[in-house]
Structures are given as structure tokens and as C-alpha cells.
Amino acid sequence: MRNKKKSIIIILAVVVILVIWAVSVYNGLVTMDENVSGQWANVETQYQRRADLIPNLVNTVKGYATHEKETLEGVVAARSQATQIKVDAADLTPEKLAQYQKAQGAVTSALGKLLAITENYPDLKANQNFLELQAQLEGTENRINVARKNFNDAAQAYNTNIRRFPKNIFAGMFGFDKKAYFEAEEGSEKAPKVEF
């Protein structure tokens, strides 16, 4: 009888330890998943900041470069399309992230063209509002790069964690799926051509 009680106590202790360990693993995965979501929100915030700056930049340039209507409309259209694409942090599939990234890449390209045409307008380049907006836009582009890197770092840590044994068993049981990464855009290895 005494050995039976001892065996039951040992089995219960092992079960309690396993339950505590399982709860700890689950909570750790939830924390990492939330970190990826938080980093994604930071990426979206920086892209939104850029989208908010664009109308001011376009309006400033409009006053100087009235015959550059096609370029200005291209920037506005790219911004409009990019702000319509929403990606939920809980459903970051590679396809959705690629679609989002493509739309944001179109904004980057359109802004590049806009900034390139400003070289033809010395008065615009000296305009304090334009210089300030340009500096804010450059700062935002840097923030976007940092936010994307932080997101990729968080996604990598999360993905590594859910693929390691034995956490992969819990990840599979509780629906923790692999997160997509931001990747370099196609053709980004080539420097853009600016022609006047």
C-alpha cells in the first residue's frame, strides 16, 4: 500500500511538472506571436506615416511643377492603392505580404520619380517646406527599413522557436503557424536610373 501511494505521488508530480512545462511553452509561444504582431504594427505605422506625408509633398511640388501632372498623379495613385491593402498580423501569409510589399514598392518608385523631377526646379529645391518634407520622408524611409528589419528578426525568432522539438508539437497542436518575411523586392539589387 505504501509503495502504491509513493507511485501515485511520483506520477502526480511528473504530471504536474509536465503541465507546468506545457503551460510555460504555450505562454512563451503566445508572447513571441504577439511580438511578431507588434512588430508588424510598427511596420504599418511607418508606412502610414509615409502615406500621410505624401499629399503634403505632392501639393508642395504642384505649385512649382505644374506640367509634371503625370508624375504627380502616379504618386497619388500609388499611395491610394497602397493604403487600401490591409494585412492582418494574424494571417501574414507570404502571398499577402508580397502583395502588400508590391504596393508599397510602387509608392517608393513613384516617390523616387517625384524626387528626381524636383532636380529640374531650383526654386522648389530651395523651398523650406519642400526641404522639410523631403527630410521627413527620408527619415520615414529609414524608420520603415528599421521596422521591417525588426519585424523580420521577430518573425525569425518565432519561426525558429515553433520549429524546434518539442515546441513544434505544441505549435502544431495550438495552431502556431510560420510567419512570412519581408524580402528584397525584385530588381532592388540594381541601382535605379535617374534621367533628366
Side-chain angles (χ1 to χ4, degrees), residues 108-120 190-196:
T108 301
S109 176
L111 280 173
K113 290 176 186 171
L114 178 67
L115 294 175
I117 66 161
T118 62
E119 292 297 317
N120 294 332
K190 298 174 190 162
K193 269 189 180 178
V194 178
E195 296 175 11
F196 298 107

Side-chain angles (χ1 to χ4, degrees), residues 66-88:
T66 53
H67 66 281
E68 303 287 357
K69 187 176 179 188
E70 184 179 317
T71 302
L72 294 169
E73 288 173 353
V75 172
V76 172
R79 176 195 178 270
S80 175
Q81 183 180 1
T83 56
Q84 290 176 7
I85 296 176
K86 301 289 182 207
V87 178
D88 183 12

Side-chain angles (χ1 to χ4, degrees), residues 4 7 26 37 62 64 72 87 89 97 131 135 151 160:
K4 194 173 182 180
S7 296
Y26 179 82
S37 296
K62 253 185 204 177
Y64 291 88
L72 294 169
V87 178
L97 193 57
L131 292 173
F151 169 78
T160 301

Side-chain angles (χ1 to χ4, degrees), residues 112-164:
K113 290 176 186 171
L114 178 67
L115 294 175
I117 66 161
T118 62
E119 292 297 317
N120 294 332
Y121 301 94
D123 292 343
L124 172 61
K125 288 182 0 183
N127 178 290
Q128 191 59 41
N129 286 343
F130 176 75
L131 292 173
E132 187 177 316
L133 286 167
Q134 188 176 18
Q136 285 184 30
L137 198 57
E138 287 169 0
T140 299
E141 292 298 327
N142 290 335
R143 286 185 183 108
I144 288 170
N145 286 334
V146 169
R148 287 173 56 163
K149 182 196 176 304
N150 291 344
F151 169 78
N152 278 349
D153 290 347
Q156 179 186 20
Y158 170 82
N159 290 340
T160 301
N161 218 325
I162 66 168
R163 291 181 61 211
R164 286 189 176 151

Side-chain angles (χ1 to χ4, degrees), residues 42-54:
N42 291 341
V43 169
E44 287 184 314
T45 299
Q46 295 309 322
Y47 277 123
Q48 184 61 51
R49 184 181 195 296
R50 178 174 75 171
D52 293 345
L53 285 172
I54 288 172

